Amino acid sequence: MEAVIVEPKLTAKDFVTDQEVRWCPGCGDYSIIKQVQTVMPELGIPREQIVFVSGIGCSSRFPYYMETFGMHSIHGRAAAIASGLKAARPDLSVWIVSGDGDSLSIGGNHLIHLLRRNFNVNLLMFNNEIYGLTKGQYSPASPMGTVSKSSPMGSVDFPFNPAALSLGANGTFVARSMDRDPIHLREVLKRANAHKGTSMVEIYQNCNVFNDGAFEVFTEKGTKKLNTLMVEQNKPLIFGEQGEKGIKLDGFKPVVVNLADVSANDLWIHDETDQVKANMLVRFFNKPGEENALPRPFGVFYTEQRFCYEDALAAQISETIAAKGKGDLDALISGRNTWTIN
Amino acid sequence: MAATTEIKTDVVILFAGDSGDGIQLTGTQFTTTAALYGNDISTFPNFPAEIRAPQGTIAGVSGFQLHFGSHEIYTAGDASDVLVVMNAAALKANLRQLKAGGIIIANTDGFDAKNLKLAKYPDGVNPLRDSSLEKFKVYEIDVTKITRTALDGSGLGTKEMDRSKNMFVLGFIYWMYNRKLDNSIEFLKEQFKKRPDLIEANTKVLKAGFNYGDTVEAPMARFEVKPAPVEKGTYRSIMGNQAAAIGLIAAAEKSGLPLFLGTYPITPASDILHELAKYKNFGIKTFQAEDEIAAITSSIGAAFGGSLAVTTSSGPGIALKGEAIGLALMLELPLVVVNIQRGGPSTGLPTKTEQADLMQALYGRNGEAPVPVVAAYSPSDCFYTAFEACKIAVEFMTPVFFLSDGYIANGAEPWKFPAAADMPEIKIQYAKNELKEGELYKPYKRNEKLSRPWAVPGTKGLEHRIGGIEKENETGNISYDPENHELMVKLRQAKVDGIANYIPLQTIDNGNAKGKLLVLGWGSTYGSIKTAVKEAIAEGYDVSHAQVKYLNPFPKNLSEMLSNFEYILIPEINNGQLIKVIRDKYFVDAKGLNKIQGLPFTSREIKNKIIEILKG
Ligand SMILES: Cc1ncc(C[n+]2csc(CCOP(=O)(O)OP(=O)(O)O)c2C)c(N)n1
Ligand code: SF4
Ligand SMILES: [Mg+2]
């Protein structure tokens, strides 16, 4: 990162504001903010260089609790605000905090354009598969059949898969983590910060009031190991109670195998720079318990080095200044054709 | 043949033809030549709504009207003295606009059976061959044929030859008005730098047009329009959108702020983006966003980061920006919102002019959301008004509306431009870290203008959070306290109202400060009102003219000014908007004059109303 190292060293506490946190007791947001505040001092960025921008939603209250610069804006627009901020101020460390409704529904357009432009910002998408703040309507991330206030007979909306959507929009960093795995989340946050480009981190977050347990098969001890796949660079895809299962590619088809039956060399080795494999990986999106269900992956799925919009914009400006010299206001006002009346 | 030369004080020429006929170029060339000669001038291009409407049809007619004179000129003219038509459709579309006794210069090649049919003349009817044009003087010239003859042996194909037709017309008009060709020849050299053959061909045709006047075997009138007694100084020609763009850059330079434009293309505002995108060497960042909402919100992000942020659009785009304007107002960040108005509602008349977004600017948001509004009244005034909008935005930390419209945005006039040094400095009040140990920064502590200092990220110790939720006075923390909300609403209103203490008083543009009738205008109606009032005064009517530039807040003396007149007339290119505000605020029984045809007022329309009121 472009930032300077500060001293004396900050601690997580230095990132806590005097504002009373207003999320419901037990909300997954608490864990997420704790991990963010814990990671912040390790990044070595001065607080005044950090900006948190959010939209509207429970999750979007986040900036009020971060002792940095912050803006709590309007529903869905955080990505666009952050784009302008980063274009104007490439020196700042910009973090977007947004809910699944905020970024996939009303802000869906800004999300895909942010990803393709690849501003060097971090996007934390708090996915609780529900509209929390408006008290429990299904969201574009809610699985079909979700029973909610606005879908008492089950939703008939086919959901987005945020990671696949982000890859489709040419995101250069796509990852998934969860509120209930602090160590994993902190690692992913650090990776996101280190990546130059838009880092999309989908975070499964439990809304214990309106959608309790939406992710419990992935987050709770009894079921987690069998249903999740923690991917690591250059490591084979292995999961299961004792790590007894793996993923193998059968042609272009990922299949679950027992390690006992195959050699470790035959397993799918995770390579986050491989776009083709990343596209397959993000599409591991089965409903847990479905027949032949693939486990839900977590970790960094894809990274790519691609120029950032703000750098290209700044480069064009410096090149023009180098070629034409700095603009002269008088010459601009007078233009090239003038005449004088005496 | 010898031609007589008649002296004229002012002339209106309307060039019309297919969009491919080079009409706009012909018009702008004549404009610069006339301006260089010292005439005062005002122009108005009239583009077809479709980019490539079928050739020869009425829908495809492009027009360029110019009004130049030996006295001051304020509008592009009510009706034309000369109508140049490249085809039958151009004649049909514009004949209405020609004065009785006016001159028609018709390219006969554009009146063949095919063109007549495309222009929907009944079978067998050719207006050049019947008596329908009896009231006018018609000069028929086979421009196509003469152009091709002139270029015989040039090695150019017929298609390329035909592209020079407009140069023949231009040359001929130069002859008619006794103008030199130098300026246009210089232009051709620059334009076709890489094609010497085209420089030669176009210059040849231009000269052929000029010589035609002298050699043709028919008496044709020549005219002289002497230079206007315009103020001494150095001038340039300027279009409204160009002026607005330069005004924004000037404000950035004068405030020391980097300029950021977040925008989404829309007619007739896009030219501001096109202009600003050129000037990267001023450090300008232009961001063509995915939609108008991203356009304005990216600008809000840039403003938070310390830029002079601007977003440009027209009515439909402004509608999309509504929620975000409210956000900027709550955040109390500077932002200039440019609305180049066009005919509405909905998509309306994209290429036509209207002033129907005043209410939208004043009231078009949820909640109590006052936003300062300024409106430019002429092409060159767009420079000063855009500058002023920026100044108010940063000095009062507020979004500001800059209103212009299609008429002045695309219209041009000579401009005695200022020196950069003559423009005022714009002073920014930044928040400084003067906190004592343990003291928290209060982002909403206000200064004497009720404005909050700008606390830009990167300033150590000033970390703070702002948002669209109602905030506690001074601290900016979220607050749902009932009294606090009322206080904040009143404070935001008082801040905007207080701008009246810092803007110039309203002046009378023409006429007495006290009298029978005051014509009160805003925006692009200026030129037509000015001309009408000037004529009416000369004829002995007791009438005055004032043009309001500051529409929110109004100048402090406006109320008093209105009370000095028996009648108030408010002409608007809408169904009556300023009039509602004036009636509401000052309880005066103002009368309206409204035109909603996508066209500016003619000065005649305004003058007739003045006379009707004063005689009635
Ligand atoms: C323009 C606009 N439309 C609707 C709303 C109402 N609204 C506020 S938050 C929200 C959805 C929040 O869901 P999500 O983004 O998933 O955030 P969560 O509360 O679940 O964290 C809605 C519909 C609003 N504030 N603004
Ligand atoms: S409603 Fe749900 S998401 Fe919102 S704070 Fe409560 S638990 Fe968290
Ligand atoms: Mg949600």
Side-chain angles (χ1 to χ4, degrees):
Chain A
M1 286 290 298
E2 55 273 279
V4 206
I5 304 291
V6 266
E7 46 204 300
K9 215 161 170 4
L10 297 169
T11 66
K13 268 213 200 103
D14 293 312
F15 287 90
V16 179
T17 66
D18 65 336
Q19 295 299 291
E20 190 192 331
V21 183
R22 292 283 184 86
W23 289 311
C24 306
C27 173
D29 291 350
Y30 283 96
S31 162
I32 303 175
I33 199 164
K34 184 143 197 299
Q35 308 325 317
V36 173
Q37 286 166 335
T38 306
V39 159
M40 279 291 143
E42 297 178 37
L43 306 181
I45 308 167
R47 282 186 302 189
E48 68 272 16
Q49 287 294 115
I50 302 171
V51 185
F52 276 82
V53 183
S54 66
I56 296 288
C58 295
S59 39
S60 286
R61 290 295 179 97
F62 200 94
Y64 287 113
Y65 312 135
M66 291 296 300
E67 190 56 56
T68 62
F69 279 86
M71 188 195 293
H72 176 229
S73 71
I74 44 178
H75 199 21
R77 316 304 170 196
I81 291 170
S83 299
L85 177 61
K86 190 69 184 180
R89 292 286 306 275
D91 60 307
L92 299 174
S93 170
V94 178
W95 298 70
I96 299 164
V97 175
S98 176
D100 48 317
D102 196 64
S103 57
L104 295 171
S105 200
I106 193 166
N109 198 24
H110 309 312
L111 171 72
I112 57 177
H113 291 279
L114 172 77
L115 289 161
R116 87 179 157 81
R117 292 192 181 108
N118 199 35
F119 280 101
N120 184 18
V121 299
N122 306 306
L123 163 65
L124 311 184
M125 189 194 292
F126 290 35
N127 185 2
N128 53 15
E129 294 186 348
I130 202 82
Y131 287 177
L133 192 70
T134 45
K135 302 198 164 73
Q137 301 83 5
Y138 69 95
S139 92
S142 308
M144 267 189 87
T146 296
V147 173
S148 75
K149 280 203 187 135
S150 57
S151 53
M153 284 146 224
S155 94
V156 292
D157 255 1
F158 188 79
F160 268 136
N161 168 345
L165 176 72
S166 301
L167 258 192
N170 287 311
T172 61
F173 181 101
V174 179
R176 183 185 291 135
S177 189
M178 57 174 95
D179 53 1
R180 299 273 286 153
D181 193 337
I183 298 172
H184 188 266
L185 179 54
R186 290 201 295 266
E187 269 325 298
V188 172
L189 290 171
K190 282 190 259 182
R191 289 282 320 269
N193 175 71
H195 173 73
K196 189 157 163 58
T198 302
S199 307
M200 201 293 288
V201 183
E202 180 190 10
I203 306 169
Y204 283 174
Q205 171 244 325
N206 192 36
C207 168
N208 55 309
V209 173
F210 296 112
N211 201 15
D212 197 22
F215 304 112
E216 66 187 356
V217 273
F218 308 125
T219 59
E220 302 314 303
K221 264 209 180 89
T223 47
K224 181 175 179 178
K225 286 197 163 155
L226 205 60
N227 291 291
T228 63
L229 174 67
M230 299 294 171
V231 302
E232 277 181 76
Q233 180 65 351
N234 295 328
K235 300 256 175 75
L237 301 190
I238 292 175
F239 68 107
E241 284 310 333
Q242 255 75 51
E244 72 284 4
K245 290 169 187 268
I247 308 284
K248 193 183 134 197
L249 268 177
D250 183 4
F252 285 108
K253 193 173 160 7
V255 287
V256 175
V257 292
N258 287 317
L259 292 200
D261 307 333
V262 292
S263 121
N265 292 340
D266 291 340
L267 291 178
W268 171 330
I269 308 293
H270 181 50
D271 178 4
E272 61 190 35
T273 65
D274 186 329
Q275 198 175 35
V276 175
K277 278 184 167 170
N279 269 313
M280 277 192 254
L281 195 56
V282 294
R283 292 199 172 274
F284 288 20
F285 206 61
N286 303 95
K287 224 177 169 158
E290 237 173 39
E291 215 183 319
N292 298 323
L294 292 163
R296 188 70 54 97
F298 292 82
V300 178
F301 304 142
Y302 183 63
T303 62
E304 176 191 324
Q305 299 301 317
R306 191 173 79 223
F307 76 92
C308 297
Y309 184 99
E310 68 272 24
D311 294 335
L313 184 64
Q316 229 177 30
I317 289 174
S318 39
E319 280 160 22
T320 313
I321 292 175
K324 294 192 187 171
K326 244 189 118 27
D328 173 59
L329 186 55
D330 273 307
L332 175 73
I333 294 176
S334 72
R336 278 193 294 178
N337 283 314
T338 65
W339 66 93
T340 302
I341 309 278
N342 296 309
Chain B
M1 289 285 301
T4 52
T5 294
E6 193 184 322
I7 308 272
K8 287 252 181 192
T9 55
D10 68 297
V11 171
V12 177
I13 305 178
L14 174 58
F15 294 97
D18 248 340
S19 18
D21 283 338
I23 294 300
Q24 303 301 324
L25 184 92
T26 314
T28 45
Q29 275 305 299
F30 192 88
T31 304
T32 22
T33 299
L36 284 168
Y37 180 74
N39 293 126
D40 198 6
I41 192 158
S42 175
T43 71
F44 184 61
N46 197 350
F47 306 110
E50 283 82 27
I51 307 298
R52 293 269 181 269
Q55 270 201 347
T57 62
I58 303 248
V61 174
S62 162
F64 190 99
Q65 183 167 328
L66 61 88
H67 184 193
F68 66 111
S70 56
H71 57 79
E72 283 169 308
I73 301 293
Y74 303 107
T75 74
D78 290 1
S80 42
D81 300 286
V82 180
L83 175 61
V84 181
V85 291
M86 299 304 282
N87 62 22
L91 178 73
K92 197 165 196 191
N94 294 297
L95 191 58
R96 231 170 30 136
Q97 284 256 61
L98 186 62
K99 289 183 194 163
I103 297 173
I104 295 171
I105 297 168
N107 170 28
T108 49
D109 182 55
F111 285 81
D112 60 11
K114 187 175 156 216
N115 273 293
L116 289 166
K117 191 163 181 210
L118 283 168
K120 300 224 154 67
Y121 278 101
D123 258 354
V125 174
N126 180 349
L128 300 180
R129 298 283 158 267
D130 59 25
S131 56
S132 63
L133 302 178
E134 244 168 17
K135 282 194 295 183
F136 311 104
K137 285 188 212 101
V138 183
Y139 299 163
E140 292 179 31
I141 308 177
D142 193 340
V143 178
T144 313
K145 193 169 141 205
I146 305 179
T147 301
R148 287 185 192 167
T149 315
L151 293 180
D152 197 21
S154 65
L156 297 178
T158 10
K159 241 195 171 154
E160 242 170 349
M161 285 187 191
D162 287 354
R163 269 200 215 114
S164 304
K165 278 191 308 201
N166 60 337
M167 285 298 122
F168 181 90
V169 173
L170 182 62
F172 180 66
I173 299 287
Y174 279 155
W175 175 84
M176 256 179 101
Y177 292 95
N178 277 300
R179 295 300 147 109
K180 291 211 174 89
L181 307 182
D182 315 7
N183 170 58
S184 290
I185 293 175
E186 280 311 307
F187 167 81
L188 291 171
K189 283 186 188 155
E190 178 66 25
Q191 182 79 357
F192 297 115
K193 250 192 295 202
K194 291 185 190 120
R195 291 284 308 267
D197 57 332
L198 291 185
I199 298 176
E200 197 187 325
N202 280 291
T203 309
K204 203 165 179 186
V205 176
L206 181 73
K207 287 181 177 165
F210 191 90
N211 295 336
Y212 179 83
D214 277 332
T215 51
V216 73
E217 306 262 322
M220 290 204 180
R222 285 186 93 172
F223 304 92
E224 187 166 339
V225 182
K226 296 231 159 71
V230 286
E231 237 181 286
K232 282 182 185 158
T234 304
Y235 288 76
R236 66 168 291 177
S237 170
I238 193 98
M239 285 170 51
N241 275 348
Q242 213 180 6
I246 299 172
L248 296 171
I249 300 174
E253 295 278 303
K254 285 292 179 170
S255 59
L257 295 172
L259 184 61
F260 180 93
L261 172 72
T263 189
Y264 188 78
I266 186 168
T267 303
S270 305
D271 280 338
I272 300 179
L273 163 64
H274 304 162
E275 279 294 308
L276 291 178
K278 283 194 245 173
Y279 300 117
K280 289 263 154 34
N281 58 332
F282 283 87
I284 300 165
K285 291 183 174 170
T286 55
F287 180 61
Q288 184 175 313
E290 56 271 24
D291 60 24
E292 279 87 352
I293 299 172
I296 185 170
T297 49
S298 61
S299 303
I300 291 172
F304 187 60
S307 290
L308 176 59
V310 180
T311 188
T312 52
S313 195
S314 191
I318 300 295
L320 287 173
K321 292 177 201 282
E323 187 194 13
I325 296 171
L327 175 66
L329 176 148
M330 282 295 259
L331 299 177
E332 301 195 39
L333 284 174
L335 174 69
V336 174
V337 183
V338 175
N339 182 355
I340 311 297
Q341 300 163 93
R342 63 190 216 180
S346 187
T347 306
L349 301 170
T351 57
K352 304 290 170 194
T353 198
E354 206 160 274
Q355 297 185 297
D357 299 344
L358 177 61
M359 288 302 189
Q360 184 190 37
L362 289 171
Y363 307 118
R365 290 165 294 284
N366 60 307
E368 296 291 348
V371 172
V373 180
V374 292
Y377 64 78
S378 74
S380 64
D381 185 56
C382 289
F383 172 84
Y384 302 101
T385 305
F387 188 93
E388 188 66 5
C390 295
K391 190 163 183 288
I392 294 173
V394 294
E395 287 180 357
F396 292 87
M397 295 291 281
T398 177
V400 175
F401 258 108
F402 164 84
L403 299 181
S404 165
D405 63 39
Y407 180 49
I408 50 178
N410 290 319
E413 65 180 355
W415 177 36
K416 191 180 160 216
F417 53 86
D422 297 340
M423 297 304 293
E425 294 298 324
I426 298 178
K427 289 204 184 62
I428 316 288
Q429 194 187 348
Y430 288 108
K432 292 193 207 87
N433 184 356
E434 291 161 335
L435 303 169
K436 294 184 203 76
E437 181 66 33
E439 200 188 341
L440 284 176
Y441 172 59
K442 293 185 174 146
Y444 283 83
K445 230 177 133 102
R446 292 164 196 279
N447 62 20
E448 74 290 351
K449 290 177 170 156
L450 294 181
S451 166
R452 71 182 192 96
W454 205 345
V456 176
T459 324
K460 200 174 160 90
L462 298 191
E463 295 84 0
H464 67 281
R465 278 65 54 190
I466 57 179
I469 298 193
E470 187 59 282
K471 46 195 52 51
E472 186 182 62
N473 189 24
E474 299 202 347
T475 66
N477 293 329
I478 292 181
S479 168
Y480 290 105
D481 180 75
E483 274 83 29
N484 177 74
H485 174 52
E486 188 161 318
L487 172 70
M488 292 305 280
V489 166
K490 296 247 158 97
L491 273 173
R492 288 186 288 261
Q493 183 70 52
K495 175 173 90 167
V496 170
D497 292 345
I499 295 172
N501 296 317
Y502 298 87
I503 59 173
L505 293 178
Q506 180 64 46
T507 53
I508 296 274
D509 187 83
N510 197 1
N512 299 321
K514 238 181 170 54
K516 272 220 123 128
L517 171 64
L518 175 70
V519 185
L520 188 71
W522 71 278
S524 70
T525 54
Y526 176 76
S528 322
I529 300 177
K530 174 116 185 161
T531 310
V533 170
K534 205 173 143 188
E535 287 176 17
I537 290 176
E539 290 167 28
Y541 290 100
D542 182 1
V543 55
S544 302
H545 171 203
Q547 197 77 6
V548 200
K549 178 181 198 139
Y550 297 87
L551 293 151
N552 190 34
F554 284 125
K556 282 196 288 189
N557 63 330
L558 186 59
S559 169
E560 195 199 324
M561 179 181 285
L562 297 176
S563 69
N564 286 331
F565 292 88
E566 212 171 302
Y567 303 106
I568 311 289
L569 169 66
I570 303 183
E572 295 179 83
I573 307 291
N574 60 34
N575 209 14
Q577 300 200 2
L578 177 64
I579 193 169
K580 290 199 183 79
V581 185
I582 293 284
R583 283 177 170 171
D584 169 42
K585 265 202 117 108
Y586 303 116
F587 302 108
V588 294
D589 181 22
K591 296 185 183 352
L593 173 63
N594 303 94
K595 180 171 179 179
I596 320 157
Q597 304 174 4
L599 294 167
F601 279 112
T602 63
S603 50
R604 165 63 42 195
E605 286 162 338
I606 292 171
K607 194 169 151 195
N608 287 347
K609 188 72 184 177
I610 291 172
I611 295 171
E612 181 195 311
I613 292 175
L614 292 177
K615 282 204 168 152

